Amino acid sequence: MSAVGPAEAAWYAEPRGEVSAALADCLRHGREAPAGLVRAAGGAGVDPWGDDLHFALYLLYELHYRGLDGVSDDREWDPGLLRVRAALEGRFLDALREAVPSPRTVEESFGPLLTTPADRAGGVSGSIAETGGLWRAREYAVLRSPYHLKEADPHAWAIPRLTGRAKAAFVAIEYDEFGAGRAEAVHARLFADLMEDLGLDAGYNRYLPAVPAAALATVNLMSLFGLHRAWRAALVGHFACVETTSSPGSARMVDALTACGAGPAAIRFYAEHVTADAVHEQVVRREVIGGLLEDDPALEPRIAFGCDATVLLEDRLADHILTAWTNGRSALRHPLPQPVAA
Amino acid sequence: MPNAPEPRAPRRVVVDPHGPVLVEGPVEVETPDGIRRSDRFMVALCTCRRSRTLPWCDTSHRPRERRR
């Protein structure tokens, strides 16, 4: 079966509004960011949850990961681009602060995550299972690809900012995420295997034009936390939240993918996360959060904020997906074409 | 006594009172169905027996949310 997807579009081909269009132009042509763009990026006209902001922010963050085709690596620390980024981050953070209750304790944030939902069949995984085909599994993989193809990368930025117990335990979990020394077991590689198993193209950012704001926001959140030392405790809160919710969520995905006839590599990605993250959850809460709070108890509200912001954006993404699917629409910006047998 | 072996440092395992037992890996577990191996740096062994991935924990020990 050949990989499914629209003809490959360049990252700059489909800006999503005034800000991302002007930004893509600056990046593509090596131009300085004009002052007007900084003002527009921080202005009230930009929806803090919207496609224009999250696509622009995603492009700017990508300069810190693997870069963008045709954009000089030197622009990673371009002061004008950093001003645009700061303006977009300000809008996003203001909206998060307004939406997330704070200050909260670690117990208040994590307590509700440590229960098994009463309705195990519901949610996105339940919807994937009920189609009797793979198209929802494919859409979900595309939605998650910007995240899982850089799984654990943004969290690595926490390492130089942690010490002692928290650092040692954090690095041990990251080592596991990065395949414990084996390239074929790097979690991002396992996700690429899942995509290929579903007949998708596993190229990095290959489906970026199709991924809507609700999914990009979940990635932008961890990039934001990762790139700012001030948000290191929130990055730990994000990491701990993902590890805490991943194991049961992955078990539901194993069931869903099995029910809709996905192949072994697709199922393996989630099966690996069931047992891996049951361990990671224990280690991250005891050693990483425990160690960090021992070093600096004042960080507690930021750890809780990182967790709560993650839950908020994950709930928003699940709502986006289920609303689209319930109404018979694609959850992507462009639906994937039906795959053709090779 | 010459050449006495160094006393081995005890392996400390961590017991979560409501969850798994944490053991530093790699680990082999003898089960009625044979030996299961994990090379992970830490291994969580199920103690509630509800796990679907025995002998490993899959967080099934977590209390069920009440139906609303």
Side-chain angles (χ1 to χ4, degrees):
Chain A
M1 190 170 67
S2 61
V4 296
E8 191 155 359
W11 57 265
Y12 51 79
E14 294 176 45
R16 304 185 189 181
E18 190 192 334
V19 172
S20 54
L23 173 70
D25 229 36
C26 293
L27 287 168
R28 219 183 131 201
H29 301 293
R31 282 198 216 109
E32 256 186 63
L37 176 53
V38 181
R39 274 195 304 277
V46 178
D47 175 2
W49 312 109
D51 268 301
D52 197 24
L53 182 143
H54 282 285
F55 184 58
L57 202 46
Y58 188 91
L59 292 180
L60 287 165
Y61 285 143
E62 210 45 48
L63 301 176
H64 300 277
Y65 291 99
R66 300 200 202 172
L68 296 168
D69 276 349
V71 178
S72 163
D73 287 345
D74 297 331
R75 301 210 76 190
E76 181 182 0
W77 300 105
D78 177 313
L81 292 179
L82 292 177
R83 276 193 286 277
V84 177
R85 202 187 84 186
L88 296 170
E89 288 173 336
R91 294 281 298 149
F92 185 27
L93 277 168
D94 283 347
L96 288 170
R97 285 196 192 95
E98 207 169 296
V100 165
S102 73
R104 295 225 293 173
T105 64
V106 163
E107 176 59 35
E108 285 168 332
S109 295
F110 284 87
L113 305 182
L114 292 167
T115 56
T116 302
D119 182 12
R120 289 191 62 126
V124 172
S125 47
S127 286
I128 289 173
E130 77 195 14
T131 50
L134 285 172
W135 76 268
R136 284 182 178 173
R138 288 197 183 99
E139 288 213 341
Y140 188 66
V142 166
L143 287 164
R144 285 299 188 182
S145 60
Y147 171 35
H148 285 306
L149 292 177
K150 56 168 86 64
E151 186 169 329
D153 286 347
H155 299 103
W157 283 316
I159 296 169
R161 297 159 184 167
L162 298 173
T163 56
R165 242 174 98 198
K167 186 187 200 107
F170 192 88
V171 172
I173 300 170
E174 284 278 272
Y175 179 67
D176 215 21
E177 299 279 349
F178 292 130
R182 288 170 295 127
E184 70 278 11
V186 174
H187 284 187
R189 177 66 243 168
L190 297 182
F191 192 77
D193 294 343
L194 168 144
M195 292 184 77
E196 286 164 6
D197 203 345
L198 291 172
L200 297 165
D201 182 336
Y204 188 77
N205 282 336
R206 165 70 177 77
Y207 293 104
L208 182 58
V211 179
L216 294 183
T218 64
V219 186
N220 287 338
L221 182 73
M222 58 186 181
S223 301
L224 190 163
F225 289 160
L227 285 167
H228 295 270
R229 184 178 172 279
W231 289 102
R232 67 194 179 283
L235 183 64
V236 166
H238 177 281
F239 191 61
C241 178
V242 171
E243 298 293 358
T244 302
T245 51
S246 165
S247 189
S250 296
R252 289 192 293 275
M253 282 299 296
V254 167
D255 292 345
L257 290 178
T258 305
C260 63
I267 292 166
R268 185 188 170 206
F269 174 81
Y270 288 104
E272 161 65 14
H273 282 76
V274 172
T275 45
D277 293 342
V279 174
H280 296 174
E281 173 232 313
Q282 292 281 341
V283 177
V284 75
R285 288 194 304 110
R286 277 164 200 281
E287 297 300 316
V288 181
I289 291 181
L292 190 57
L293 286 178
E294 202 174 70
D295 291 346
D296 191 348
L299 292 176
E300 180 158 8
R302 283 266 162 123
I303 297 175
F305 181 83
C307 176
D308 291 336
T310 307
V311 171
L312 174 83
L313 294 184
E314 287 297 326
D315 286 350
R316 289 181 66 95
L317 174 58
D319 280 349
H320 167 87
I321 296 171
L322 292 174
T323 303
W325 287 352
T326 308
N327 290 296
R329 284 186 281 113
S330 167
L332 303 174
R333 287 168 53 82
H334 320 289
L336 298 166
Q338 290 300 311
V340 282
Chain B
M1 201 169 73
N3 299 326
E6 292 279 321
R8 276 208 297 179
R11 159 104 50 223
R12 178 175 294 188
V13 302
V14 178
V15 180
D16 178 334
H18 306 291
V21 168
L22 302 175
V23 188
E24 255 182 60
V27 162
E28 279 186 353
V29 182
E30 274 189 49
T31 76
D33 305 320
I35 292 174
R36 302 290 309 278
R37 180 189 169 108
S38 174
D39 291 321
R40 209 178 296 290
F41 70 96
M42 187 74 80
V43 174
L45 294 174
C46 172
T47 60
C48 73
R49 313 297 299 171
R50 292 212 293 257
S51 174
R52 290 165 66 202
T53 57
L54 285 170
W56 322 122
C57 169
D58 71 353
T59 73
S60 291
H61 56 271
R62 291 181 185 173
R64 305 236 183 264
E65 186 183 64
R66 290 209 191 100
R67 260 175 204 284
R68 269 163 288 183

